[in-house]
């Protein structure tokens, strides 16, 4: 699942660095999910692994929101540091709202009893603790690593501008 998400992100961003920054949030989410299992007294089993796969999507979404918006700001001419600070501050509310809704959506899985509740409880605990933990750390980790690593990349529209300049130069008749 990690490899598939990474490759899809690499195709979307046309870069290897931006998906790497986004995927740094996944181990943080997994640690949060495993910590939740420890607190709940549960074990790593098939159901907790399903919860971890769900958590990959939730954690990657947070990083995507910040990185995509920072790339758009870089396309408008902002420097890397300015773009990531602006992106993190403007995307804070959507990230928190979606993460809280994912976490609170897992509460019924955690608290309901009855037949099969052990499997539901495990999935709920992993999603709840992992999404809360990932959200808190993503807001700090993604901007720091984006600032460090995005300096080695061009603005996402840089290649498009280069192609347009080349086409204009070719269209101009030689004198």
């Amino acid at each position: 699942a990690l490899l598939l998400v990474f490759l899809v992100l690499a195709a979307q961003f046309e870069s290897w660095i931006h998906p790497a920054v986004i995927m740094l949030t996944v181990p943080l989410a997994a640690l949060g999910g495993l910590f939740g299992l420890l607190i709940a007294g549960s074990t790593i089993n098939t159901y907790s692994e399903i919860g971890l796969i769900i958590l990959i999507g939730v954690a990657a979404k947070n990083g995507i929101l910040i990185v995509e918006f920072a790339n758009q700001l870089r396309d408008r001419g902002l420097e890397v540091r300015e773009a990531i600070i602006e992106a993190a501050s403007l995307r804070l509310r959507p990230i928190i709202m979606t993460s809280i809704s994912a976490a609170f959506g897992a509460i019924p899985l955690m608290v309901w009893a009855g037949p099969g509740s052990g499997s539901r409880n495990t999935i709920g605990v992993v999603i709840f603790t992992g999404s809360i933990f990932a959200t808190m750390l993503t807001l700090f980790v993604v901007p720091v690593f984006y600032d460090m690593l995005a300096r080695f990349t061009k603005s996402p529209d840089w290649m498009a501008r280069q192609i347009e300049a080349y086409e204009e130069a070719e269209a101009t008749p030689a004198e």
Side-chain angles (χ1 to χ4, degrees):
L2 289 172
L3 181 63
L4 180 64
V5 170
F6 182 80
L7 292 175
V8 168
L9 290 173
Q12 177 186 354
F13 286 105
E14 298 176 2
S15 167
W16 295 105
I17 291 178
H18 296 137
V21 170
I22 293 168
M23 295 303 287
L24 286 171
T25 62
V26 173
L28 301 173
L31 284 174
L34 294 175
F35 181 69
L37 288 177
L38 180 68
I39 289 174
S42 188
T43 61
I44 298 176
N45 53 39
T46 304
Y47 298 109
S48 63
E49 291 173 3
I50 290 170
L52 288 172
I53 290 172
I54 293 168
L55 209 52
I56 290 172
V58 172
K61 173 204 55 77
N62 292 342
I64 290 170
L65 285 173
I66 295 174
V67 170
E68 177 65 25
F69 199 68
N71 285 342
Q72 290 173 4
L73 292 174
R74 285 182 66 197
D75 288 341
R76 294 183 194 160
L78 268 67
E79 293 297 319
V80 172
R81 182 167 292 219
E82 296 168 344
I84 193 63
I85 290 171
E86 182 76 15
S89 65
L90 290 176
R91 294 288 126 205
L92 176 65
R93 187 182 306 157
I95 288 171
I96 289 176
M97 288 182 352
T98 55
S99 296
I100 287 175
S101 65
F104 285 124
I107 288 177
L109 295 172
M110 291 175 23
V111 298
W112 258 251
S117 65
S119 60
R120 288 190 307 266
N121 293 355
T122 302
I123 292 173
V125 164
V126 170
I127 294 171
F128 181 80
T129 57
S131 63
I132 296 293
F133 194 75
T135 300
M136 289 190 301
L137 292 179
T138 297
L139 296 172
F140 299 105
V141 171
V142 169
V144 168
F145 280 97
Y146 186 89
D147 186 39
M148 288 179 0
L149 298 176
R151 296 180 188 284
F152 302 110
T153 65
K154 302 284 186 207
S155 166
D157 276 348
W158 179 82
M159 183 57 76
R161 287 193 298 265
Q162 295 294 336
I163 292 172
E164 289 171 3
Y166 176 76
E167 289 174 348
E168 287 176 10
E170 288 293 316
T172 306
E175 294 178 22

